[in-house]
Amino acid sequence: MHLIIPYAASHAFSGQEALAGLQLPNLQQVLALLQRQQVLQDADDTPLHMPHERLHARALGWDTAESGAALPWATWHLAGQCQTITSPQAWMTPCHWQIGMDQVVMLDPASLYLTDDESQQLLQAMQPFLQEDGLHVTWHSALLWHVQGDLLAGLACASLDRVIGQNVKPWMPDHPAARPLQRLQSEMQMLLYNHPVNDAREAKRQYTVNAFWLHGAGMLPEHTAAAGQAVTLSHALRSSALHGDVQAWQQAWQQLDATAVADLLQHVKATGQGTLSLCSEHTAHTYTAAPAAWYQRTTRTLTRLFNKPSPAAALQALITS
């Protein structure tokens, strides 16, 4: 059992006040039973994907989980539904780019509160342009459209989480294959500017949809190592971290501690095995049960009784290391 927790700590609220008074008894017990075995740290050239996304890919046995590689989440989703895959796939998310003097920042698409009907109307208007470029796009949900087409071949796209709240320019795909997509992006901005859905949203003082973001592009690796233990990726802390809401983040952590972390604790106690990955935006620390001789286990148990690891210290390390 491998539990991956994105935004276990966040640079959005890096001060001690975010951790003050945070009671996570199950996390404390898990940390007392496991040892930190691995550190994943972003280099100076920040990778296209978040640490939790790269860890998830590795846990699935993908051998392409490197900083500049594509992580084909759209293809993985279809493969899980036993669908035949013959061309590159990707996800497309309608979004709002906030245009400033010096940069263009992507807002969290969830802040659009886009309805299914609005989303479907926008996709319908975009379809002729998408089809002209050989992209077959189907509606999956309000913020997630499925794309397939040869235009996506060899295209490594930054993940949505990596770009939210950031200047989009450094994350635009810089590849010859991306030029048609850059042109398409400009065409869609003009198309959407006066679309009735956006007119109605402006009248209600809601954010308009003025762009899209491609992510999760690519094909599954031909040679994939066998995945190990079952993997659970929790999204419980994501929304509050992205919006910098400390109180909501603390409440979500306590709920997560009482559920998924508690399940991991019981698994570790019952089997002596288990893995926990705590992640921030640029760092991931992975804890796992390490085999040890009986005298080492005895010494370790005594040490832990008198020197229990602090959840606050473990979380703080994610944003200070």
Side-chain angles (χ1 to χ4, degrees):
M1 182 177 183
H2 185 178
L3 175 61
I4 301 175
I5 303 180
Y7 304 101
S10 173
H11 293 269
F13 27 80
S14 56
Q16 290 286 346
E17 68 277 3
L19 303 175
L22 189 60
Q23 300 297 317
L24 304 173
N26 290 311
L27 177 61
Q28 179 159 334
Q29 291 189 63
V30 168
L31 291 173
L33 295 172
L34 304 179
Q35 286 186 311
R36 195 172 81 181
Q37 303 287 345
Q38 181 185 33
V39 174
L40 181 64
Q41 183 76 47
D42 285 353
D44 293 337
D45 53 337
T46 305
L48 295 174
H49 305 95
M50 303 284 279
H52 65 265
E53 294 166 326
R54 307 201 307 276
L55 278 180
H56 191 192
R58 290 181 184 180
L60 292 172
W62 296 358
D63 60 1
T64 58
E66 301 302 327
S67 60
L71 296 185
W73 297 116
T75 303
W76 177 69
H77 174 80
L78 288 185
Q81 297 181 331
C82 300
Q83 295 191 31
T84 302
I85 301 167
T86 58
S87 61
Q89 319 282 313
W91 292 121
M92 178 183 284
T93 292
C95 54
H96 178 86
W97 288 1
Q98 199 164 46
I99 302 174
M101 292 291 292
D102 302 316
Q103 59 183 4
V104 178
V105 175
M106 181 192 292
L107 300 187
D108 181 2
S111 65
L112 291 170
Y113 299 103
L114 195 65
T115 68
D116 289 352
D117 181 62
E118 289 173 326
S119 176
Q120 289 167 350
Q121 287 188 54
L122 293 172
L123 176 57
Q124 184 178 9
M126 294 166 64
Q127 284 288 19
F129 299 87
L130 298 168
Q131 292 170 358
E132 186 176 339
D133 280 314
L135 296 177
H136 178 65
V137 183
T138 54
W139 191 87
H140 181 76
S141 66
L143 296 177
L144 211 56
W145 304 341
H146 177 255
V147 190
Q148 58 180 324
D150 294 336
L151 193 62
L152 304 172
L155 190 66
C157 304
S159 70
L160 200 60
D161 278 16
R162 185 59 90 189
V163 186
I164 288 174
Q166 306 296 318
N167 181 15
V168 302
K169 186 175 180 180
W171 300 109
M172 295 292 288
D174 185 17
H175 188 280
R179 290 168 189 163
L181 293 173
Q182 293 168 357
R183 171 187 49 76
L184 183 61
Q185 186 77 260
S186 298
E187 291 175 348
M188 293 305 94
Q189 288 174 335
M190 291 186 288
L191 172 71
L192 297 171
Y193 183 73
N194 289 319
H195 192 279
V197 164
N198 278 333
D199 289 342
R201 291 182 64 84
E202 280 193 325
K204 293 183 290 186
R205 297 184 179 275
Q206 294 178 315
Y207 290 120
T208 59
V209 177
N210 60 7
F212 64 83
W213 193 259
L214 280 175
H215 52 104
M219 297 289 285
L220 288 173
E222 292 184 9
H223 303 290
T224 298
Q229 54 193 324
V231 183
T232 299
L233 179 70
S234 172
H235 296 289
L237 308 175
R238 179 180 182 273
S239 178
S240 54
L242 288 176
H243 292 91
D245 189 334
V246 176
Q247 185 175 2
W249 179 82
Q250 291 173 330
Q251 292 173 349
W253 235 131
Q254 291 173 332
Q255 178 65 22
L256 182 61
D257 186 71
T259 52
V261 177
D263 291 343
L264 176 63
L265 175 61
Q266 293 305 312
H267 180 82
V268 173
K269 286 182 174 180
T271 67
Q273 300 295 320
T275 303
L276 172 67
S277 293
L278 300 174
C279 310
S280 66
E281 291 90 342
H282 299 288
T283 305
H285 293 168
T286 296
Y287 299 78
T288 190
W294 70 269
Y295 59 86
Q296 291 175 312
R297 291 196 298 269
T298 302
T299 302
R300 189 178 302 154
T301 300
L302 291 172
T303 301
R304 286 167 180 164
L305 286 174
F306 295 101
N307 186 26
K308 291 183 178 180
S310 161
L315 300 181
Q316 184 67 30
L318 293 171
I319 51 179
T320 57
S321 58

